[in-house]
Structure formats: C-alpha cells, structure tokens
C-alpha cells in the first residue's frame, strides 16, 4: 500500500494529461504559455477570488506577497508553530521576524487565544512591531478565520492564509484560499491539488497587491520585462505544470468528495482507539492528511515501526514544532513555551490518504492498526 497513490489518479486522467502536455510541446511556449493564464482563471473561479498569480512553489506563494509587504526585521509576523517549516521560513526570507503561536488542541490550527496573547506580549516588550498573521489550513482544514480576521482588524495586521494543504476546503460556505488579504497554495505533487513537479499560486481580491505579486514573480518588472523597478525573483509556474493542473482540476471536486468519504470510514473504525481528527461544524476539510493522536499509554514509535513491517506506510507530520527547529535556535524559544503543539508533535501520526482508497483498503489499515495496538 502507498501513502499517497499518485499512480491510481494518473491511470484515470492519463489521456487528458498527455493531450494537454502534447499541446504545450507542439506550441513550444514553455514559460507563461496560454495554459498559465487559463489555469489562473480556473483557480480564481474555484476559490471565488478576483485575482490569482500562479508561481513556482508554495514557498514562493508565501514569499512573494510577504515581499510585497516590505517587511523589516522589526516586523513581527505571527505564525503557528505546528506547521510545515516553509510557513515560517517565508517570513524570514522576506525580511521579517516570525513569532510562533500555539495550536488549538482540537483542530491543530492556530489558536486565536494564543495569537492574541502573543500579540500583547510583542506590544508589551516593545522590541518588534506587529505587522501580520499567517494562518495555516493544517492537514486540509481551514483555520478559524472568523476569529482570526477579527484579531487582524483589531490590531491593524495583514492576514495571509497558508492554504498549501487546504485548497478545496470550505469554511462557512466559502472556499479555502479566499480568506484574509491574500492566500497561498502549493501544487507539490502530494498536496490535495498537485502537479508533476513544483508549483504554487497566490489568491487575492486586492488588485494592487495582485499587481505587485505579478511584478515580484518576474524580477520586479515594471511596464516592461526589462524595466526592473523593485527586487523580485524568478517565481513563474511552468506552462507544462499548468497543463497538468488543468487536467487535474477537472476531477478535483469528485476527489474531495472521495477524501471526505474515506476520512469518515477511518473515523468510524478508529474513534474508540485513538483521538481522531476534529473538523468543526462550519468547515469541510480537503484532507491533505488523515492525522490521529495516540492516547496515554500508547507508544507511537512502536506503532509506526510495526505498521511499516506489515507494509502500511505511516508518517509523522510534524515531529518538531517550528519554534524548536534548529534553524530558529537563536530566537530564544525552548520546550514548554508552546505546550499544546509540543504535545501534538509527540502524539500525531498520519495514515495513507488519497482519493483512490477503497473501503477494503481502509478496513485493512484499521485491522492491522487494531492488532498492533493490541
Ligand atoms: C507544502 C507546504 C508549503 C510549501 O509548499 P512548497 O510547494 O513545497 O514550496 C508551505 N506551507 C505548508 C503548510 C505546506 O504544507
């Protein structure tokens, strides 16, 4: 069994992918070909936003809007510690300072309460200036944007949605990547909507910000490609990857339905054994990961080792919350400062999750898991 079976999806869409890639090969427009614009329009319609700027990776989709905000080292950008490293790394790359925030015990997402505490602390210390918030749709579930947007407005901060795992999710009837001032997603192959290499996209209703992001994506171009008016980067999405995504977006809606059905099967079978994932009533997850937590007395490493021996891949996202990553050693964080996410990092493990799992596959995983736990 595979953790994410991209081959099963390819079997279904092979003809369309090949046809669209062949069209790119025939046209030879490998950079900013027509497929790139076509994809941006489809993504904007799907998410319900005015502007989409595609780019070279999910990391660039975070870095580019952060560059547009012209951060300095004195600017604090609040970010959950329980996330993929890139959510925080992007702040540092764009010149700002990440301030780490604890998670909600139920959803794994940024805790609005811990966020407000962190903002107050920064204001009291008076060294950094609060500038923005990055909220992450961890494992596919949108963060609590009602509460977070309210805090952003109250303190005059920008809000960036890191929807790298969240594209396709829904909150209060609105699609992920439509929250905050600007949102980012990733098309890394293993994400809910993935291409066949690296890719990403920026989403916003703010036309000024969209124009800045387009400029930064191409070496800070002005009216002309060779008129460089600011510092940018080479952050474009390849035409071939846009062609792949155009084929995949056709089946995406159905895949989201399948992911939700599969998550339901897992929860039904495992809720008496582990802490199963909580999706709040207002939300639908894109199920980038199906993540369990061990209860007291269970040995996570032993469970994972035994599962692997029996041919079932199990992964840990994430073993180290970012405030404890070696790269941020100099920032003065230590164990115990963000207790909820530190506890989650000790307990979590994720099961195989992709839209092409059958109920019999889920049965097999759960049967082995039950045996292993004893
Ligand atoms: C994958 C991911 C990113 C980075 O995306 P890349 O396309 O790999 O650069 C950023 N944030 C989160 C939460 C992610 O899961």
């Amino acid at each position: 069994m595979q953790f994410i079976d991209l081959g099963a999806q390819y079997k279904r869409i092979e003809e369309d992918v090949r046809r669209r890639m062949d069209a790119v090969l025939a046209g030879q427009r490998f950079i900013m070909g027509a497929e790139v614009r076509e994809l941006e329009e489809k993504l904007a319609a799907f998410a319900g936003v005015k502007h989409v700027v595609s780019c070279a990776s999910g990391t660039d989709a975070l870095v580019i809007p952060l560059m547009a905000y012209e951060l300095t080292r004195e600017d604090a950008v609040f970010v959950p510690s329980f996330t993929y490293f890139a959510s925080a790394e992007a702040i540092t790359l764009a010149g700002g300072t990440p301030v780490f925030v604890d998670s909600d015990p139920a959803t794994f997402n940024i805790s609005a309460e811990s966020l407000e505490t962190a903002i107050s602390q920064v204001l009291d210390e008076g060294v950094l200036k609060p500038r923005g918030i990055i909220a992450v749709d961890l494992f596919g579930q949108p963060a609590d944007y009602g509460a977070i947007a309210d805090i952003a407005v109250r303190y005059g901060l920008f809000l960036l949605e890191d929807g790298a795992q969240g594209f396709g999710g829904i909150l209060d009837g609105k699609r992920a990547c439509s929250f905050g001032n600007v949102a980012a997603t990733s098309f890394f192959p293993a994400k809910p909507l993935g291409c066949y290499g690296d890719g990403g996209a920026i989403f916003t209703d703010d036309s000024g910000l969209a124009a800045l992001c387009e400029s930064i994506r191409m070496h800070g171009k002005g009216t002309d490609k060779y008129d460089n008016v600011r510092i940018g980067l080479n952050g474009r999405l390849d035409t071939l990857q846009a062609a792949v995504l155009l084929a995949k977006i056709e089946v995406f809606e159905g895949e989201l339905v399948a992911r939700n059905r599969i998550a339901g099967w897992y929860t039904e079978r495992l809720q008496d054994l582990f802490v199963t994932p909580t999706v709040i009533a207002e939300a639908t997850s894109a199920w980038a990961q199906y993540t369990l937590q061990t209860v007291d007395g269970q040995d996570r490493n032993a469970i994972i080792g035994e599962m692997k021996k029996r041919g079932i891949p199990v992964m840990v996202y994430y073993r180290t919350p970012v405030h404890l990553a070696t790269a941020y050693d100099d920032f003065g964080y230590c164990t115990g400062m963000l207790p909820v996410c530190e506890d989650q990092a000790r307990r979590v493990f994720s099961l195989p999750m992709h839209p092409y799992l059958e109920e019999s596959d889920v049965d097999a995983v759960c049967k082995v898991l039950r045996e292993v736990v004893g």
Side-chain angles (χ1 to χ4, degrees), residues 56-60 62 83-84 86-87 136 138 162 164-165 185-188 191 198-200 318:
S57 68
T59 305
D60 278 1
L62 293 165
T83 182
Y84 182 56
S87 310
V136 180
L138 204 70
D162 179 350
Q165 302 179 13
T185 200
S186 163
F187 302 126
F188 181 80
K191 307 283 165 142
D198 280 306
Y318 295 92

Side-chain angles (χ1 to χ4, degrees), residues 94-155:
T97 299
V99 173
F100 295 102
V101 177
D102 212 346
S103 353
D104 180 281
T107 63
F108 299 114
N109 280 330
I110 189 169
S111 149
E113 198 189 317
S114 174
L115 172 62
E116 220 169 341
T117 308
I119 296 170
S120 301
Q121 247 167 30
V122 165
L123 287 170
D124 286 348
E125 285 166 7
V127 179
L128 300 175
K129 190 166 76 56
R131 271 299 299 282
I133 302 164
I134 297 182
V136 180
D137 303 339
L138 204 70
F139 305 142
Q141 172 164 215
D144 183 4
Y145 289 104
I148 298 161
D150 184 60
I151 294 171
V153 169
R154 225 161 349 106
Y155 290 93

Side-chain angles (χ1 to χ4, degrees), residues 28 38 56 70 81 91 122 127 130 149 159 168 190 196 198 215 227 248 321 331:
Q28 300 278 299
E38 189 186 341
E70 301 189 30
S81 181
I91 301 166
V122 165
V127 179
L159 174 57
Y196 290 156
D198 280 306
S215 165
D227 168 32
K248 288 208 187 187
F331 282 57

Side-chain angles (χ1 to χ4, degrees), residues 311-325:
I312 295 173
V314 172
M315 311 290 277
V316 175
Y317 301 115
Y318 295 92
R319 224 174 259 281
T320 308
V322 185
H323 72 286
L324 300 178

Side-chain angles (χ1 to χ4, degrees), residues 263-264 266-267 270 276-277 287-292 349-353:
Y266 272 136
T267 297
L270 296 171
T276 48
W287 294 108
Q289 303 294 342
Y290 184 87
T291 302
L292 295 166
F349 63 104
S350 301
L351 299 181
M353 173 50 91

Side-chain angles (χ1 to χ4, degrees), residues 139-342:
F139 305 142
Q141 172 164 215
D144 183 4
Y145 289 104
I148 298 161
D150 184 60
I151 294 171
V153 169
R154 225 161 349 106
Y155 290 93
L157 310 178
F158 69 76
L159 174 57
L160 195 174
E161 174 187 4
D162 179 350
Q165 302 179 13
F167 192 70
I170 300 170
L171 179 70
D172 289 324
K174 283 183 69 188
R175 284 283 185 189
C177 293
S178 70
F179 299 102
N181 303 87
V182 59
T185 200
S186 163
F187 302 126
F188 181 80
K191 307 283 165 142
L193 181 63
C195 58
Y196 290 156
D198 280 306
I202 300 156
F203 302 73
T204 185
D205 283 332
D206 178 337
S207 21
L209 184 57
L212 270 177
C213 289
E214 261 191 62
S215 165
I216 293 167
R217 173 177 70 177
M218 198 148 144
H219 302 291
K221 74 178 165 90
T223 45
D224 177 88
K225 179 175 164 185
Y226 296 105
D227 168 32
N228 307 95
V229 297
R230 61 179 61 80
I231 298 300
L233 36 83
N234 172 3
R236 295 167 302 238
L237 179 73
D238 291 343
T239 312
L240 276 168
Q241 299 302 345
V244 170
L245 287 163
L246 282 168
K248 288 208 187 187
I249 207 167
E250 294 289 325
V251 297
F252 186 55
E253 198 94 53
E255 290 184 341
L256 289 167
V257 173
R259 285 176 185 274
N260 274 280
R261 190 168 56 228
I262 292 157
W265 289 335
Y266 272 136
T267 297
E268 244 171 64
R269 287 158 176 77
L270 296 171
Q271 57 194 351
D272 64 314
L273 265 192
F274 302 100
V275 179
T276 48
T278 303
V279 179
I280 58 172
E282 300 76 19
T284 306
S285 179
W287 294 108
Q289 303 294 342
Y290 184 87
T291 302
L292 295 166
Q293 292 181 85
T294 55
V295 298
D296 289 342
Q298 292 172 341
D299 178 345
R300 180 177 66 181
N301 283 345
I303 293 170
I304 295 169
E306 202 54 41
M307 292 294 283
K308 282 190 179 156
K309 243 188 256 167
R310 297 179 197 210
I312 295 173
V314 172
M315 311 290 277
V316 175
Y317 301 115
Y318 295 92
R319 224 174 259 281
T320 308
V322 185
H323 72 286
L324 300 178
T326 309
Y328 286 115
D329 267 357
D330 295 342
F331 282 57
Y333 292 93
C334 56
T335 305
M337 287 175 93
L338 301 176
V340 176
C341 68
E342 290 169 21

